Amino acid sequence: MNVLITGYFNETSKERVTGAFPESWTIAIVEPQHIDAFIGEADVLIPEHIQVDDVLLGKAHRLKFVQTGAGYDNVDIEACTARGVWVSNAAGVNANAVAEHIMAFVLSYYKNIPFLDGALKDGADETQLDYAGGELLGKTIGTIGFGAIGSRVAELARAFKMNVLAYDTNKNIKSDDVELVDLDTLIANSDVIAINIFLNESTRNMVDKAFLRKMKKNALLVNTARGPLVSEVDLIDALKNNVIGGACLDVFTVEPLSEDSELRRLSNVILTPHTAGMPDGYKFHETRYRFFVDNISRVGRDDKPLNCLNKV
């Protein structure tokens, strides 16, 4: 089995990822710009930072299966289906990891951990530090999306005695533990808004200038889902002009995040490099890769993969 993985990995990450697969499989981990040299021999593609479209598929002469993480907005499922290529995602596999990352963001922001850590390491006198902090007790967190990640966020937030609002387009969702509301109600009443939905054309740039103006002045926006769900230009403007309190971001419109991005210089922003779903080390999550191996093995046996996305 020839498995091609695209993305940006350091050497340690490559070793860990490669070691997660059977020794008899051939694993190639390449940066996106080098995919053309490898795609023709790949039986399986695990794509990051590339578009799996008809042009790429035309070069993938042996491809049987495209396995993504939770998101699959970079894969043309119809084009894959037309060429007899299975597509699956790993929705839910890293739900707890992402939910914990969201809560770590929220705690770091309200407890001012990055500022205090940096100040003390720079030699500041802790008796003279001027900073604001807060408690989660009694605050309201709103999750946009109430699937595996959103529901786990709700569980963790309730442990801190937070109020939880949830919005989801699936109107069949029921819960006795959170208040299900419409989107505008969630935006207006949440101290923290966590985005936990998939990216598609209806959700692209969902968080725009109008959305941000509906938020509380001191509210926190958390995005660990997909960068293009948020209009980065509008968010930066809102952060610079105190339209909202702050933002915690694990994903960005363009990744890796540009070195000259204004987000890197804003004091009311906490950033991580798209690692929310990788708790076992940079670019690695053992449970996720175990799922990948099991699903690829199913395809190798000519079985239908789990979490199949093909519309047939």
Side-chain angles (χ1 to χ4, degrees):
M1 186 72 71
N2 288 344
V3 180
L4 174 61
I5 304 171
T6 65
Y8 299 99
F9 297 78
N10 61 30
E11 291 306 313
T12 301
S13 299
K14 287 181 180 180
E15 289 179 10
R16 296 192 72 187
V17 169
T18 301
F21 294 91
E23 291 184 2
S24 59
W25 294 7
T26 300
I27 311 299
I29 303 175
V30 303
E31 293 186 349
Q33 61 268 31
H34 302 306
I35 188 173
D36 282 357
F38 296 86
I39 190 63
E41 298 300 315
D43 300 305
V44 177
L45 174 63
I46 301 175
E48 287 187 27
H49 304 296
I50 62 167
Q51 293 295 317
V52 182
D53 53 20
D54 204 53
V55 174
L56 181 67
L57 292 169
K59 304 172 186 177
H61 309 300
R62 294 175 44 175
L63 193 64
K64 302 174 183 175
F65 183 36
V66 176
Q67 171 70 70
T68 74
Y72 51 90
D73 49 281
N74 59 328
V75 180
D76 186 334
I77 297 172
E78 291 186 3
C80 288
T81 302
R83 291 177 179 270
V85 176
W86 290 113
V87 183
S88 289
N89 74 340
V93 171
N94 62 354
N96 183 70
V98 176
E100 287 186 359
H101 198 95
I102 290 169
M103 295 309 298
F105 263 155
V106 175
L107 283 165
S108 294
Y109 178 82
Y110 277 105
K111 300 302 180 183
N112 252 313
I113 301 299
F115 167 76
L116 295 173
D117 175 71
L120 290 182
K121 287 177 178 176
D122 287 341
D125 181 349
E126 58 265 38
T127 65
Q128 300 175 350
L129 287 175
D130 183 18
Y131 73 98
E135 295 182 332
L136 302 190
L137 175 67
K139 286 188 168 59
T140 298
I141 185 170
T143 172
I144 299 177
F146 197 60
I149 296 173
S151 58
R152 181 59 178 149
V153 167
E155 290 177 1
L156 297 175
R158 288 198 302 273
F160 288 94
K161 299 189 184 304
M162 299 183 76
N163 305 310
V164 183
L165 304 178
Y167 165 77
D168 200 287
T169 56
N170 182 357
K171 303 308 178 185
N172 294 320
I173 290 176
K174 306 292 182 184
S175 176
D176 296 327
D177 300 316
V178 308
E179 185 179 355
L180 296 167
V181 297
D182 62 70
L183 184 58
D184 281 344
T185 298
L186 184 147
I187 296 171
N189 291 280
S190 296
D191 299 298
V192 179
I193 296 177
I195 305 173
N196 296 306
I197 55 174
F198 289 117
L199 172 66
N200 55 44
E201 288 311 306
S202 69
T203 59
R204 187 178 298 275
N205 290 325
M206 178 185 71
V207 179
D208 58 8
K209 188 175 296 184
F211 182 111
L212 292 161
R213 285 177 176 170
K214 294 176 185 177
M215 291 174 62
K216 291 183 177 183
K217 288 285 186 181
N218 60 348
L220 172 67
L221 179 74
V222 181
N223 186 16
T224 58
R226 283 291 185 269
L229 291 164
V230 177
S231 167
E232 229 160 74
V233 172
D234 290 349
L235 176 60
I236 290 170
D237 182 70
L239 291 166
K240 289 167 64 176
N241 292 288
N242 300 312
V243 175
I244 65 172
C248 295
L249 307 171
D250 185 58
V251 289
F252 312 97
T253 301
V254 177
E255 297 178 5
L257 181 64
S258 169
E259 290 184 11
D260 60 2
S261 170
E262 286 191 84
L263 290 171
R264 293 181 182 267
R265 299 189 294 275
L266 295 175
S267 61
N268 54 348
V269 176
I270 300 175
L271 307 174
T272 54
H274 203 152
T275 53
M278 300 293 172
D280 303 330
Y282 186 58
K283 289 291 184 182
F284 189 78
H285 183 193
E286 184 177 356
T287 304
R288 181 189 195 191
Y289 281 96
R290 192 182 306 127
F291 177 89
F292 285 179
V293 170
D294 290 345
N295 226 18
I296 293 168
S297 297
R298 291 177 66 90
V299 172
R301 298 191 302 266
D302 291 326
D303 291 337
K304 182 179 179 180
L306 300 175
N307 289 2
C308 182
L309 300 171
N310 299 83
K311 298 174 183 177
V312 294

